[in-house]
Amino acid sequence: MQPTDALARFRDRLSLPLIAAPMFLVSGVELVVAACRNGVIGSFPTVNCRSPEQLDQWLTDIDDRLKEHSDASGKPAAPVCANLIVHRSNARLEQDLQVLLHHRPEMVITSVGSPAPVLKPLRDAGALVFADVASIRHAERAAAAGADGLVLLTAGAGGQTGWLNPFVFVRAVRAFFDGPLVLAGGIADGHALRAAEALGCDLAYMGTKFIATWESMADARYKEMLAASSADDILLTKAFTGLLTNMLRPSIEAAGLDPDDLPERGAIDIGKDIDIGARENRPKRWKDVWSAGHSVSGVTEVLSVDEMVARTAAEYRNAATRLRLS
């Protein structure tokens, strides 16, 4: 018996099997709307909103603008996907959950913990619940908890990341999970997106390239740094969060720190002002030290979401042609 296609409800609304990844302080209303209008699932962390009230306003604005788009174009937009931090440190978890239940999202991604506590209410509201995982053990636990889909954080993903090779990770999880898989890490173009499908994934994250779009909330200097950087400029470190995190070396240097001489584990708190001795130019909050994935090598300029998705779609078609000719 063939497994049910969990994505069937909105698969025909996607121009690409792609999610604009939820990115801290980067993903906002403009980026989500632009992605969804272009047939890409638009996601954002609920903690990007200052309060549950702002989260409610964001979701209302997004829904209204996408409805206008659908009415004008005659084509329904791709789904909106909220990213919910389920770790106990998120003091707003219950409040944000209630806002999501009110808006009845089609898809929610849980992060930093088991999806179990939020699965039933979100499912009752009609949402598919995906859990992001960074190891095979985490994937097994999320699957056992009943997650509808899994986001596999592999080596090369921006921000807090996994460490497993994507070829190994995807195939290992496919051995015990037949639901939707999302590959996160290293998706720089349509060729990589096609490769993710060949591995056995249904969707993929694209994050770093969406940071370098006009619609993202990222600082203009951040976008310019991405365009000027390559994968060699990515540093994997625990210094800022205590967890493995891919950061831009040039941003660490610009903040007055030495990328080659950082504390080993979570000693630099960029969630608040920090003291690094006599240096005047010290990092203050996440706005000063920036993350990116290995796919930064695919960022060469700042584009609109329209342009970036169109190029990715052309690459995706070209990759399919090459496969047919081989």
Side-chain angles (χ1 to χ4, degrees), residues 51 85-86 90 107 142 150 157 166 224 236 281-282 308-309 311:
S51 65
I85 307 300
V86 294
N90 181 9
M107 184 175 175
L150 302 175
E224 292 164 4
L236 183 65
N281 182 24
R282 61 181 184 267
M308 201 270 282
V309 173
R311 290 188 185 185

Side-chain angles (χ1 to χ4, degrees), residues 261-303:
D261 187 26
L262 294 173
E264 194 164 307
R265 187 178 181 86
I268 300 177
D269 185 355
I270 53 176
K272 62 181 75 172
D273 290 2
I274 65 171
D275 184 6
I276 53 173
R279 296 187 181 100
E280 294 296 325
N281 182 24
R282 61 181 184 267
K284 297 179 180 179
R285 305 186 184 277
W286 280 95
K287 66 180 182 181
D288 294 312
V289 182
W290 300 320
S291 65
H294 293 177
S295 59
V296 71
S297 282
V299 179
T300 57
E301 59 184 317
V302 181
L303 298 169

Side-chain angles (χ1 to χ4, degrees), residues 8 13 19 22 42 61 63 76 98 106 144 152 162 187 207 233 236 240 256 298 318:
R13 290 155 52 196
I19 300 173
D61 290 347
D63 289 344
Q98 292 306 313
E106 294 182 87
L152 308 185
I187 304 298
D233 295 306
L236 183 65
F240 298 102
N318 288 341

Side-chain angles (χ1 to χ4, degrees), residues 93-291:
L93 172 59
E94 184 57 35
Q95 292 172 291
D96 284 359
L97 174 62
Q98 292 306 313
V99 174
L100 294 181
L101 296 177
H102 173 72
H103 283 270
R104 302 183 66 84
E106 294 182 87
M107 184 175 175
V108 172
I109 296 168
T110 64
S111 296
V112 201
S114 171
V118 299
L119 266 171
K120 186 179 187 310
L122 285 170
R123 277 203 180 130
D124 288 348
L128 289 175
V129 181
F130 283 55
D132 70 13
V133 294
S135 70
I136 295 169
R137 179 170 58 88
H138 291 156
E140 289 171 339
R141 288 181 174 180
D148 296 302
L150 302 175
V151 179
L152 308 185
L153 301 176
T154 71
Q160 291 182 352
T161 185
W163 54 90
L164 288 174
N165 176 288
F167 291 94
V168 172
F169 200 3
V170 173
R171 297 316 304 162
V173 174
R174 262 292 170 243
F176 61 83
F177 185 73
D178 61 9
L181 291 183
V182 183
L183 178 61
I187 304 298
D189 57 25
H191 296 275
L193 182 57
R194 184 70 73 174
E197 285 188 305
L199 269 179
C201 291
D202 302 272
L203 300 163
Y205 266 10
M206 185 177 280
T208 301
K209 290 192 80 169
F210 276 104
I211 302 174
T213 59
W214 299 116
E215 292 88 349
S216 90
M217 297 193 301
D219 187 292
R221 296 168 301 155
Y222 187 178
K223 299 176 186 183
E224 292 164 4
M225 186 177 289
L226 291 172
S229 298
S230 75
D232 285 346
D233 295 306
I234 302 301
L235 176 68
L236 183 65
T237 177
K238 293 182 179 179
F240 298 102
T241 68
L243 299 173
L244 288 170
T245 307
N246 276 320
M247 309 294 290
L248 275 168
R249 292 176 66 96
S251 76
I252 297 171
E253 293 166 349
L257 298 170
D258 181 355
D260 297 316
D261 187 26
L262 294 173
E264 194 164 307
R265 187 178 181 86
I268 300 177
D269 185 355
I270 53 176
K272 62 181 75 172
D273 290 2
I274 65 171
D275 184 6
I276 53 173
R279 296 187 181 100
E280 294 296 325
N281 182 24
R282 61 181 184 267
K284 297 179 180 179
R285 305 186 184 277
W286 280 95
K287 66 180 182 181
D288 294 312
V289 182
W290 300 320
S291 65

